[in-house]
Amino acid sequence: MAAPHNWLKAAIEAATNVTAWPVENTAGAKQEGYVPPYVVFTREQTARESLLDEGFSSTPEPGEIPPVARYTVVVYADSYVQAWLIANAITAAIHRFAGAAHGELIHQCLVVDERDGDAGYLEGREQPTYTVEQDVEIVFS
């Protein structure tokens, strides 16, 4: 089974030298990786083509129309500038990527939206943490 999150994690970490976590940062407050910078990505949905054309001869075979996974990528950093530098490195590495990498076949990856995220305080820290959010679409098989 294809797992584009494996490719996404590896691509983010290779481009930024920052740890990327699926769903949430699971490092404990005293462990390396808890303190920014780090990246958290979440798969929001996977859209699969559904065809209900009553058996017309033009119906693609299963697997011909690849699924599209939509992710939200959130960069956590100690400064606004650092957050955007990391986000820009991610965009440079994955936007318009197509090919085989990390055991996955990626037909196309697009960073479709970027925006400032919330700033706040992580537990036990007196310094604010800044975030940048990216919406990413990955067509894979």
Side-chain angles (χ1 to χ4, degrees):
M1 167 164 227
H5 58 272
N6 292 330
W7 169 78
L8 183 60
K9 176 178 175 47
I12 290 170
E13 290 179 346
T16 64
N17 202 28
V18 169
T19 302
W21 300 91
V23 184
E24 68 178 290
N25 182 338
T26 57
K30 304 263 189 240
Q31 294 177 317
E32 184 178 333
Y34 175 75
V35 177
Y38 60 85
V39 175
V40 175
F41 60 95
T42 306
R43 190 188 305 209
E44 301 297 330
Q45 73 175 36
T46 300
R48 299 182 189 277
E49 188 69 32
S50 57
L51 300 171
L52 301 172
D53 67 357
E54 306 284 328
F56 291 112
S57 62
S58 64
T59 302
E61 294 296 319
E64 284 184 10
I65 300 173
V68 178
R70 289 179 179 85
Y71 288 86
T72 297
V73 175
V74 182
V75 176
Y76 292 81
D78 285 332
S79 75
Y80 181 77
V81 170
Q82 182 185 39
W84 274 104
L85 288 172
I86 294 168
N88 289 338
I90 292 169
T91 299
I94 68 173
H95 186 65
R96 296 185 174 261
F97 176 86
H102 306 284
E104 304 300 331
L105 178 58
I106 307 300
H107 297 281
Q108 182 176 28
C109 179
L110 296 173
V111 177
V112 295
D113 187 34
E114 296 177 297
R115 61 197 165 276
D116 290 342
D118 294 331
Y121 292 87
L122 296 176
E123 184 179 336
R125 298 191 79 215
E126 294 180 14
Q127 174 178 345
T129 299
Y130 297 86
T131 62
V132 171
E133 299 176 5
Q134 299 174 307
D135 293 325
V136 175
E137 292 185 352
I138 303 172
V139 181
F140 68 99
S141 58

